[in-house]
């Protein structure tokens, strides 16, 4: 069988997710044994419009970008959103609560009208998406495991429980205990609670758990006297788009 | 060449990506148009942070750039700390400098190995280089991996650091981990010298082109400045960082979503070459030797030598990191009791943080109210400061190479853009030049 052809695309993002892929180094070379990369602007000059799997980084923030996305959907058999900007709207959706004209003027002043833009949204708000690699940035391991599942024709296994579950397993002192806030109780796990392990808090980068009313970490919420909505609204860094849809 | 007509359109529009566009039209040997522009979707960070809490700013602004996320985080923290009068310990200062060295190494090695080397060898990506020069590619990968692991050790992860927080760190490495890092840094020196030799053997492929310009970057009397210092210019000398707006003078051109900057001339340059031109005397011994190997001396006005300046800086990053670890070892690491929640008194004020990141000087400027909520923000990104200079270089370069084949003109222009390493989104090999 011919190796599947894969291509990487980026929209409004920071390229941090593609960098994680470039950082695979030797594992990337291994992966190259199984797939053929036909387009990856971070590391290669060649480009082809003939691909089977499209990895998309970044949010859609302009009407003009929708055309490009639709073209990708037409060409690719599988579309994979990589990183929060692409999977949930991510950090870009911070601006969605604000008046977009003001936002443009803050950055570009009088020339704001030159820069067209609308509410930042995830890729699946524009085209159907087949698989998700969450995180800001994605982790190399999860990327590899999602790719492997896809190559085997399996559905990737993505946690539906909150970060607290991993955090407790790791025996961290809870951020609330340290007098800080944390959105781990409503955030989708899968990162091994890495930010709390490093001494900070969960900022919510992997997005809300599916159906937060059921799947959030009730025990922690009750202990600190919070409702699910409190936890979600505590500081909406990443949940902007998801929250609006709820 | 009087009769030459040329139309170059480097586009991202019909193809899929490539956010940097080159347009050149030549009629009868005269340049009618020569434009470098960016069409990347704007992300509006300065507006996004308004209304946010001081504890979140560095986390948000780190996401401006995945490749310089340590630098953005540190510029952000320094702005917040300046606004609130927060000081950090000597130890944290050294650890932050190590983090910055790690990022600079990682970024430069990726650029040199993955983007510049294929150009010099006349191929399209690092993939064929891996089969034609396997040893060299392995060497580059080794140094790259070391730099990444160093970022991990200091910041928690390589992209979007976790441990860097207002007031210091949320967690620090152990002395044992630092000692192991020191060993590996020491062991990477022969690798670096091999990479330097490889570039030396290919250096004649770098165009011999000069155009006088102004160089701007941080300077310090006693060190090759990355983390802090004064503003320095090769035209006007030094000034305090608080005067940065009179240096950057950002402006907008309608055909590009990226801002531009100018100081005394029509444009200026920031980045490794600017730093080297301003701080040459403070390079570490081996770094200086590396510069000498290529005859690189201040003030060098050949933008293509920015590649070599990056190589020199990598050597400096390694040597200076070893020095910093030695100093930490001499005093011993203090475990601060307040790590991960330093005592901070929130107050209103404005603060500016300037840090040297791989592509040049970066400014974050925040104003906070008495509750610690950000009311105003301004970020000046290195690549934006270079756009004007890139365009003027193109205008000067095109007439000099007009007698060459189209393919060669195309490659020279691409190489010029890549020499600036203008943030991977526009510098990469998919800046494709189409002759129509
Ligand atoms: S998800 Fe995070 S790492 Fe990925 S592009 Fe967006 S900001 Fe960058
Ligand atoms: S609230 Fe945060 S710190 Fe506490 S257990 Fe959950 S994830 Fe961990
Ligand atoms: S701990 Fe939270 S913020 Fe950190 S990676 Fe996991 S989901 Fe993202």
């Amino acid at each position: 069988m011919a190796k599947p052809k894969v291509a990487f695309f980026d929209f409004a993002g920071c390229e941090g997710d593609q960098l994680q892929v470039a950082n695979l180094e030797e594992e990337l070379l291994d992966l190259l044994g199984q797939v053929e990369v036909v387009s990856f602007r971070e590391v290669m000059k060649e480009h082809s419009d003939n691909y089977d799997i499209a990895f998309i980084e970044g949010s859609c923030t302009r009407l003009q970008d929708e055309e490009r996305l639709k073209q990708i959907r037409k060409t690719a058999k599988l579309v994979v959103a990589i990183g929060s900007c692409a999977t949930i709207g991510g950090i870009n959706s911070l601006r969605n609560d604000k008046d977009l004209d003001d936002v443009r003027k803050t950055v570009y002043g009088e020339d704001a009208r030159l820069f067209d833009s609308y509410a930042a949204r995830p890729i699946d708000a524009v085209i159907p998406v087949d698989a998700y690699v969450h995180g800001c940035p994605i982790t190399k391991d999860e990327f590899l495991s999602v790719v492997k599942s896809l190559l085997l024709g399996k559905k990737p296994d993505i946690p539906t429980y909150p970060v607290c579950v991993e955090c407790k397993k790791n025996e961290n002192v809870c951020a609330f205990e340290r007098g800080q806030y944390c959105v781990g109780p409503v955030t989708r796990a899968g990162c091994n609670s890495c930010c709390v392990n490093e001494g900070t808090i969960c900022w919510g980068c992997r997005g809300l758990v599916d159906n937060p009313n059921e799947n959030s970490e009730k025990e922690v919420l009750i202990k600190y006297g919070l409702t699910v909505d409190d936890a979600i609204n505590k500081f909406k860094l990443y949940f902007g788009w998801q929250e609006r849809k709820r | 060449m009087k009769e030459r007509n040329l139309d170059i359109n480097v586009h991202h529009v019909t193809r899929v990506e490539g956010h940097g566009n080159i347009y050149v039209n030549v009629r009868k040997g005269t340049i009618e148009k020569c434009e470098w522009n960016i069409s990347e979707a704007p992300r509006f960070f300065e507006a996004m942070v308004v209304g946010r809490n001081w504890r979140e700013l560095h986390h948000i602004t780190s996401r401006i750039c995945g490749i310089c996320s340590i630098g953005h985080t540190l510029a952000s923290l320094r702005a917040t700390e300046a606004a609130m009068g927060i000081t950090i310990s000597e130890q944290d200062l050294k650890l932050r400098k190590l983090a910055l060295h790690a990022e600079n190494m990682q970024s430069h090695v990726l650029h040199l190995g993955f983007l510049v080397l294929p150009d010099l060898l006349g191929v399209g990506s690092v993939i064929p280089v891996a089969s034609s020069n396997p040893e060299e590619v392995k060497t580059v990968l080794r140094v790259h991996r070391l730099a990444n692991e160093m970022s991990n050790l200091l910041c928690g992860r390589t992209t979007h650091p976790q441990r860097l927080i207002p007031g210091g760190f949320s967690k620090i490495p152990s002395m044992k981990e630092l000692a192991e890092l020191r060993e590996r840094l020491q062991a990477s020196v022969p690798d670096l010298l091999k990479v330097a030799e490889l570039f030396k053997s290919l250096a004649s492929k770098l165009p011999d082109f000069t155009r006088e310009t102004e160089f701007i970057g941080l300077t310090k009397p006693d060190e090759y400045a990355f983390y802090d210092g004064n503003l320095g210019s090769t035209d006007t000398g030094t000034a305090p960082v608080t005067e940065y707006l009179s240096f950057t003078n950002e402006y907008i051109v309608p055909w590009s979503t990226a801002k531009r900057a100018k100081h005394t001339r029509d444009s200026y340059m920031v980045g490794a070459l600017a730093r080297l031109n301003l701080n040459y005397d403070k390079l570490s011994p081996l770094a200086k030797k590396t510069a000498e190997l290529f005859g690189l001396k201040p003030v060098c006005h050949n933008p293509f030598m920015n590649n070599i300046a990056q190589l020199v800086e990598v050597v400096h990053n390694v040597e200076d990191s070893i020095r910093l670890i030695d100093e930490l070892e001499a005093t011993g690491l203090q475990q601060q009791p307040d790590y991960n929640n330093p005592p901070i008194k929130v107050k209103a004020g404005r603060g500016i943080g300037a840090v040297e990141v791989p592509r040049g000087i970066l400014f974050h400027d925040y104003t906070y109210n008495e509750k610690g909520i950000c009311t105003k923000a301004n970020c000046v990104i290195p690549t934006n400061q270079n756009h004007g200079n890139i365009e003027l270089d193109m205008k000067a370069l095109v007439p000099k190479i007009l007698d060459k084949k189209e393919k060669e003109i195309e490659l020279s222009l691409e190489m010029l853009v890549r020499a600036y390493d203008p943030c991977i989104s526009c510098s990469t090999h998919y800046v494709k030049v189409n002759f129509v």
Side-chain angles (χ1 to χ4, degrees):
Chain A
M1 204 183 81
K3 289 194 223 169
K5 295 187 172 64
V6 309
F8 289 84
F9 300 90
D10 47 82
F11 288 78
C14 78
E15 307 210 10
D17 302 301
Q18 292 181 77
L19 185 64
Q20 302 314 302
V21 179
N23 279 347
L24 286 169
E25 297 168 344
E26 281 106 47
E27 286 139 313
L28 183 61
L29 296 178
D30 280 349
L31 194 63
L32 288 178
Q34 297 167 57
V35 299
E36 185 189 341
V37 180
V38 298
S39 190
F40 190 3
R41 206 168 42 79
E42 288 229 338
V43 290
M44 64 199 279
K45 179 177 187 151
E46 293 83 0
H47 167 78
S48 154
D49 284 320
N50 172 15
Y51 45 85
D52 305 301
I53 307 179
F55 291 100
I56 303 181
E57 179 190 87
S59 314
C60 186
T61 56
R62 299 186 283 198
L63 207 53
Q64 69 200 76
D65 288 335
E66 294 196 357
E67 277 317 302
R68 233 176 101 205
L69 280 169
K70 286 176 186 154
Q71 193 53 48
I72 294 170
R73 183 67 266 188
K74 245 189 239 158
T75 312
K77 294 192 188 83
L78 287 174
V79 169
V80 187
I82 59 169
S84 314
C85 292
T87 59
I88 57 166
I91 205 90
N92 292 322
S93 51
L94 260 186
R95 65 176 212 235
N96 292 0
D97 282 343
K98 308 189 177 194
D99 177 344
L100 282 179
D101 280 338
D102 285 349
V103 167
R104 284 210 297 269
K105 278 192 199 122
T106 307
V107 180
Y108 291 105
E110 283 311 300
D111 295 304
R113 67 195 151 71
L114 298 166
F115 305 104
D116 116 63
S117 193
Y118 64 22
R121 59 202 67 194
I123 301 306
D124 64 8
V126 183
I127 55 169
V129 168
D130 302 294
Y132 300 84
V133 186
H134 293 285
C136 180
I138 60 169
T139 68
K140 299 191 239 180
D141 289 346
E142 192 172 4
F143 175 78
L144 282 176
S145 89
V146 168
V147 172
K148 277 177 194 149
S149 305
L150 291 175
L151 291 177
L152 294 170
K154 289 201 294 205
K155 205 173 152 24
D157 188 19
I158 307 290
T160 52
Y161 48 84
V163 172
C164 290
V165 174
E166 295 173 333
C167 191
K168 286 179 180 165
K169 240 183 240 155
N170 288 321
E171 299 181 358
N172 291 319
V173 177
C174 180
F176 286 102
E177 216 54 58
R178 303 191 310 244
Q180 291 180 307
Y181 47 52
C182 177
V183 294
V186 291
T187 302
R188 182 191 303 282
C191 57
N192 193 28
S193 68
C194 60
C195 300
V196 190
N197 307 352
E198 294 300 335
T200 61
I201 56 168
C202 175
W203 307 83
C205 86
R206 294 175 57 85
L208 291 175
V209 284
D210 304 328
N211 197 353
N213 284 332
E214 270 165 36
N215 295 328
S216 60
E217 183 68 20
K218 298 278 158 30
E219 204 185 302
V220 173
L221 291 178
I222 292 165
K223 188 163 172 198
Y224 299 100
L226 296 169
T227 64
V228 172
D229 282 342
D230 288 341
I232 293 173
N233 290 318
K234 193 84 196 171
F235 57 112
K236 267 186 293 180
L237 284 185
Y238 293 92
F239 304 154
W241 179 266
Q242 290 183 303
E243 222 286 313
R244 208 155 91 159
K245 295 227 338 181
R246 236 160 63 88
Chain B
M1 280 310 102
K2 289 239 165 61
E3 295 308 308
R4 183 85 193 245
N5 290 332
L6 190 68
D7 290 287
I8 298 175
N9 287 304
V10 188
H11 245 264
H12 85 119
V13 185
T14 51
R15 312 299 303 240
V16 269
E17 62 254 310
H19 310 265
N21 304 330
I22 300 172
Y23 300 106
V24 180
N25 299 113
V26 177
R27 284 290 164 273
K28 299 202 169 161
T30 307
I31 301 178
E32 291 189 331
K33 179 174 167 181
C34 185
E35 246 173 54
W36 161 244
N37 73 38
I38 305 301
S39 55
E40 177 134 3
R43 290 176 74 214
F44 306 107
F45 272 91
E46 283 118 323
M48 274 153 59
V49 295
V50 170
R52 306 302 309 192
N53 184 289
W54 62 280
R55 281 175 181 274
E56 299 165 358
L57 268 265
H58 66 286
H59 182 93
I60 299 171
T61 51
S62 173
R63 272 79 189 159
I64 292 174
C65 174
I67 294 112
C68 310
S69 58
I70 297 177
H72 275 286
T73 302
L74 286 174
S76 179
L77 291 173
R78 293 201 53 226
T80 299
E81 287 163 357
M84 304 203 178
I86 302 164
T87 50
I88 65 164
S89 69
E90 266 305 302
Q91 175 173 305
D92 288 351
L93 181 67
K94 285 176 185 152
L95 292 167
R96 283 185 177 183
K97 285 181 180 175
L98 283 170
L100 219 41
H101 279 326
E103 176 169 82
N104 204 59
M105 276 168 74
Q106 187 275 332
S107 174
H108 283 358
V109 170
L110 188 76
H111 178 238
L112 291 168
F114 281 40
L115 305 173
V116 181
L117 198 55
D119 268 347
L120 298 179
L121 292 166
V123 293
S125 80
V126 72
I127 297 168
V129 186
S131 24
S132 65
N133 301 57
E135 275 316 305
E136 282 90 351
V137 169
K138 268 190 211 143
T139 310
V140 168
L141 283 179
R142 260 202 308 275
V143 180
H144 188 247
R145 169 151 296 193
L146 171 60
N148 265 337
E149 285 171 9
M150 183 169 166
S151 300
N152 267 337
L153 182 64
L154 289 147
C155 304
R157 64 182 168 200
T158 52
T159 306
H160 300 320
Q162 297 151 309
R163 296 180 175 185
L164 307 172
I165 58 167
F169 281 78
S170 63
K171 192 171 172 179
I172 59 166
S174 69
M175 201 58 241
K176 182 162 169 283
E177 286 169 321
L178 286 173
E180 279 164 17
L181 173 66
R182 188 196 185 284
E183 289 286 297
R184 295 186 55 201
L185 287 166
Q186 192 71 58
S188 76
V189 172
D191 275 352
L192 288 175
L193 298 181
K194 260 191 253 163
V195 176
E197 272 164 36
L198 176 66
F199 274 89
K200 175 71 190 155
S201 71
L202 298 166
S204 63
K205 298 259 172 25
L206 290 170
D208 181 15
F209 161 78
T210 52
R211 183 184 70 84
E212 256 201 48
T213 192
E214 178 184 6
F215 293 93
I216 292 180
L218 287 178
T219 57
K220 260 185 126 170
D222 53 347
E223 72 179 30
Y224 193 96
F226 278 105
Y227 182 79
D228 54 3
N230 277 316
L231 272 174
S233 151
T234 47
D235 281 357
T236 61
T238 59
V241 163
T242 44
E243 283 170 27
Y244 83 99
L245 286 173
S246 69
F247 275 64
T248 55
N249 306 298
E250 282 194 300
Y251 63 100
I252 293 167
V253 288
W255 57 87
S256 179
T257 55
K259 294 180 183 177
R260 297 183 174 195
K262 60 178 166 192
H263 184 219
T264 53
R265 310 182 189 222
D266 289 336
S267 71
Y268 62 86
M269 181 172 179
V270 298
L273 187 61
R275 290 190 286 259
L276 186 135
N277 279 335
L278 288 161
N279 300 301
Y280 180 84
D281 291 343
K282 285 112 203 166
L283 280 172
S284 67
L286 214 52
K288 206 173 265 176
K289 272 211 185 109
T290 311
E292 281 162 9
L293 184 68
F294 292 88
L296 177 54
K297 285 196 304 270
V299 175
C300 168
H301 288 279
N302 179 354
F304 291 95
M305 290 303 274
N306 193 49
N307 295 314
I308 304 305
Q310 289 189 335
L311 182 68
V312 171
E313 281 194 345
V314 174
V315 178
H316 177 85
N317 293 143
V318 169
E319 272 192 303
D320 198 55
S321 297
I322 293 173
R323 182 188 65 83
L324 285 164
I325 297 174
D326 285 345
E327 284 183 16
L328 286 167
E329 202 152 28
T331 49
L333 276 187
Q334 311 295 313
Q335 275 298 332
Q336 284 156 229
D338 48 11
Y339 269 128
N340 90 35
N341 213 359
I344 285 167
K345 233 179 135 293
V346 174
K347 61 171 196 180
R350 176 179 172 202
I352 295 158
V355 165
E356 285 287 345
V357 298
R359 285 150 197 83
I361 190 164
L362 164 68
F363 303 94
H364 283 219
D365 172 359
Y366 306 147
T367 306
Y368 287 105
N369 67 16
E370 67 291 343
K371 294 203 180 86
I373 302 295
C374 179
T375 55
K376 193 163 186 258
N378 186 34
C379 303
V380 184
I381 313 292
T383 295
N384 289 352
Q385 297 172 69
N386 277 333
H387 289 318
N389 213 59
I390 294 178
E391 196 169 275
L392 289 178
D393 276 351
M394 281 183 178
K395 285 187 175 146
L397 181 62
V398 169
K400 292 203 169 111
I401 55 176
L402 215 46
D403 55 339
K404 300 230 159 96
K405 290 200 200 84
E406 288 193 349
K407 276 272 161 233
E408 284 172 52
I409 299 178
E410 175 183 316
L411 183 66
S412 299
L413 288 176
E414 282 188 67
M415 280 173 69
L416 175 68
V417 170
R418 277 198 283 279
Y420 281 82
D421 188 6
C423 169
I424 277 196
S425 51
C426 25
S427 68
T428 53
H429 281 76
Y430 200 61
V431 179
K432 193 164 175 296
V433 184
N434 293 315
F435 291 88
V436 288

